[in-house]
Amino acid sequence: MRRPGRYEELLETALRLFREKGYRATSMQDIAAAMGLRKASLYHYVKSKQDLLVPAYQYTIANHARRLEEIASSAGSAREKLERAIATHLQAIIDHADMFALYLREVESLPEHLRQAVRAANRAYRVRFEAIVRQGVETGEFKALDPAVAALLILGACNWLPQWYTPGGRMSPQEITDLFLELLLTGLLNEGGRMDAYRSLHQADLGPRDLPAGVQDRPGAQGRGSGHGVAGDRPV
Amino acid sequence: MRRPGRYEELLETALRLFREKGYRATSMQDIAAAMGLRKASLYHYVKSKQDLLVPAYQYTIANHARRLEEIASSAGSAREKLERAIATHLQAIIDHADMFALYLREVESLPEHLRQAVRAANRAYRVRFEAIVRQGVETGEFKALDPAVAALLILGACNWLPQWYTPGGRMSPQEITDLFLELLLTGLLNEGGRMDAYRSLHQADLGPRDLPAGVQDRPGAQGRGSGHGVAGDRPV
């Protein structure tokens, strides 16, 4: 019943419609029509629109994680790589603002196996982003700041965009990206010499491959009520 | 029936318990016991725990907005003021991580009058934070970056904390604050001379009292489905 590639096409179509019309305003009928299918045929693949949300989210994150990997392994300075990583991330956030806002609201009500799937996708993305920051710290191009927390600061600033960004506002996505790059990269760049920073990093016993200080990888696993369930599912 | 000051005491007690036990794990009985009241007496003030959420949120935001106002009008450089504003904000986020995470999930299901109340509280806070950034841009101590978007970047980086911060993790709140200050302030500081930046700001016709470029004040008012309802209710 399922043809290879057809499910991916379904996810991409759903994502495009969620982006263009918003998740709530998109119906299964809309998705079927856009794919040239009868609505009934969609039910070979998914039971409901809600069943598309997590796979579409994972699919998006995985695509962007691959882009981060390309960026990390490309030629160029750490600064150039991080510029591309931030620009890519901001573009993803702007393109999928609706889905990210939705995700924040819905994640806690997902069944545990879906939460775990989302968590794994987020972690894979975050680790790749962090690796780019870490490269710059290791070469001394960036300051000897904790790469994990620096990455979370940058991702957080970007991830907050759906709370305030309005398409067609007076500042274009490019202008916002330029401001973000200016602010975030200047703070990270180590103007005071490469080797000094590298040495101080190792003196501080904050080896680049240590676990991120202060950031537990699965905070959701520990107690203290409702709020901390979210922490383990942190979006990218 | 309502005594002056008693309602504020109720909000503070509820906030403290939400913080200590989490919102979900806190019962009306817990709140009554902490105030030395019978549970029935609470119902003179509120109908349900949910009725405490928005007032408690507003009350917290308003308190912190007053602190920002004190910081803005205090003596000191823009850098010192912004350091205090960021540290204050991070502390609020860490203290109330549970409430902020809850807010993000619940805000869309609030009735319109409560959303408006929350929106007004958020806007008042954001405007005060932005004013501190703007002071630094006006004096040339900061780069001539758009103060509204710079403020949203900083607030966003901080507001993302509940997604990844774990109390008792390897990095203390103070260490996280230090890293944030290092990264965010260095990027903002104008090392290249005060007056140059001030002039270029005015040449670019981005006068400090203009509306924030690209950031509409009430994006929720315009269409495009569900996602954009959130934008107008952006948390602090």
Side-chain angles (χ1 to χ4, degrees):
Chain A
M1 204 61 79
R2 280 161 86 128
R3 284 197 284 140
R6 198 64 164 171
Y7 184 65
E8 285 66 32
E9 190 189 332
L10 169 58
L11 292 182
E12 284 178 0
T13 306
L15 273 172
R16 179 172 60 77
L17 290 173
F18 294 166
R19 190 165 70 227
E20 287 170 8
K21 296 164 69 91
Y23 173 79
R24 286 192 189 175
T26 301
S27 68
M28 288 290 268
Q29 177 60 55
D30 294 334
I31 297 169
M35 294 180 71
L37 291 175
R38 285 175 304 114
K39 187 172 157 194
S41 310
L42 277 195
Y43 294 101
H44 297 311
Y45 300 96
V46 285
K47 281 192 297 242
S48 69
K49 187 175 72 169
Q50 218 195 341
D51 283 349
L52 281 169
L53 188 60
V54 169
Y57 183 86
Q58 286 178 285
Y59 182 77
T60 308
I61 302 292
N63 278 341
H64 285 285
R66 269 194 294 279
R67 296 191 60 182
L68 288 183
E69 221 153 54
E70 285 166 26
I71 291 169
S73 59
S74 67
S77 65
R79 181 203 181 113
E80 286 161 353
K81 289 177 188 181
L82 189 57
E83 277 181 1
R84 288 174 60 203
I86 293 174
T88 294
H89 188 72
L90 278 172
Q91 191 59 53
I93 292 287
I94 288 172
D95 284 348
H96 304 291
D98 194 49
M99 192 171 61
F100 283 109
L102 191 72
Y103 164 84
L104 277 180
R105 292 194 302 275
E106 303 279 326
V107 67
E108 265 225 310
S109 45
L110 292 174
E112 183 55 28
H113 72 283
L114 290 179
R115 286 180 55 166
Q116 279 184 9
V118 162
R119 196 182 285 154
N122 287 342
R123 189 164 48 237
Y125 184 91
R126 188 167 36 79
V127 163
R128 278 162 184 75
F129 194 94
E130 192 183 308
I132 294 172
V133 178
R134 174 162 289 137
Q135 281 183 17
V137 173
E138 282 183 338
T139 62
E141 202 180 334
F142 296 161
K143 292 176 193 156
L145 297 172
D146 184 277
V149 177
L152 288 165
L153 180 152
I154 295 169
L155 290 171
C158 298
N159 291 351
W160 202 245
L161 222 72
Q163 308 296 326
W164 55 269
Y165 172 72
T166 307
R170 287 204 350 222
M171 198 178 261
S172 69
Q174 187 58 54
E175 288 169 317
I176 291 173
T177 302
D178 289 346
L179 190 153
F180 270 58
L181 291 177
E182 168 69 31
L183 245 171
L184 294 169
L185 280 159
T186 314
L188 201 49
L189 284 172
N190 184 22
E191 304 292 289
R194 301 157 63 96
M195 291 317 289
D196 279 5
Y198 192 60
R199 267 197 299 275
S200 72
L201 175 74
H202 286 273
Q203 277 161 7
D205 196 25
L206 262 171
R209 277 171 205 89
D210 283 0
L211 268 179
V215 185
Q216 298 188 1
D217 207 30
R218 196 75 72 89
Q222 71 172 49
R224 227 211 88 181
S226 61
H228 289 272
V230 181
D233 302 295
R234 49 183 176 252
V236 292
Chain B
M1 201 61 79
R2 279 162 86 128
R3 284 196 283 140
R6 196 63 163 173
Y7 183 65
E8 286 66 31
E9 191 190 331
L10 169 58
L11 292 182
E12 285 178 0
T13 306
L15 274 171
R16 179 172 61 77
L17 290 172
F18 294 166
R19 190 165 69 228
E20 287 170 8
K21 296 165 69 91
Y23 172 79
R24 287 193 188 174
T26 301
S27 67
M28 288 290 269
Q29 177 60 53
D30 295 333
I31 298 168
M35 294 180 72
L37 291 174
R38 284 174 306 113
K39 189 173 154 194
S41 309
L42 278 195
Y43 294 100
H44 296 311
Y45 301 96
V46 284
K47 281 191 298 240
S48 70
K49 187 175 72 170
Q50 218 195 340
D51 284 349
L52 280 169
L53 188 60
V54 169
Y57 183 87
Q58 286 178 287
Y59 182 76
T60 308
I61 302 293
N63 278 341
H64 284 285
R66 269 194 296 279
R67 295 191 59 183
L68 289 183
E69 220 153 55
E70 284 166 25
I71 292 169
S73 59
S74 66
S77 65
R79 180 201 181 115
E80 285 161 353
K81 289 178 188 179
L82 188 57
E83 276 183 1
R84 288 174 60 203
I86 292 173
T88 293
H89 188 72
L90 277 171
Q91 191 60 53
I93 292 287
I94 287 172
D95 284 349
H96 304 290
D98 195 48
M99 191 172 61
F100 283 109
L102 191 73
Y103 164 85
L104 276 180
R105 292 196 302 275
E106 302 278 327
V107 67
E108 264 225 312
S109 46
L110 293 175
E112 184 54 29
H113 72 283
L114 290 180
R115 286 181 56 167
Q116 278 183 8
V118 163
R119 196 181 284 154
N122 286 343
R123 190 164 46 238
Y125 184 91
R126 190 166 34 78
V127 163
R128 278 163 184 75
F129 194 94
E130 192 184 309
I132 293 172
V133 178
R134 175 161 287 139
Q135 282 182 15
V137 172
E138 282 183 338
T139 61
E141 203 180 335
F142 296 160
K143 292 176 194 156
L145 297 172
D146 184 276
V149 177
L152 287 166
L153 180 153
I154 295 168
L155 290 171
C158 298
N159 290 351
W160 201 246
L161 222 71
Q163 307 297 327
W164 56 268
Y165 171 73
T166 308
R170 287 202 352 217
M171 197 178 262
S172 69
Q174 186 58 54
E175 288 168 317
I176 292 172
T177 303
D178 288 346
L179 191 153
F180 270 58
L181 291 177
E182 168 69 29
L183 246 172
L184 294 169
L185 280 159
T186 313
L188 201 49
L189 284 171
N190 185 22
E191 304 292 289
R194 301 157 64 95
M195 291 316 290
D196 280 2
Y198 192 58
R199 268 197 298 275
S200 73
L201 176 73
H202 285 273
Q203 276 161 8
D205 196 25
L206 262 171
R209 278 175 204 86
D210 282 359
L211 268 180
V215 185
Q216 298 187 2
D217 208 30
R218 196 75 72 89
Q222 70 173 50
R224 229 211 84 179
S226 61
H228 288 272
V230 180
D233 302 296
R234 50 185 176 252
V236 293

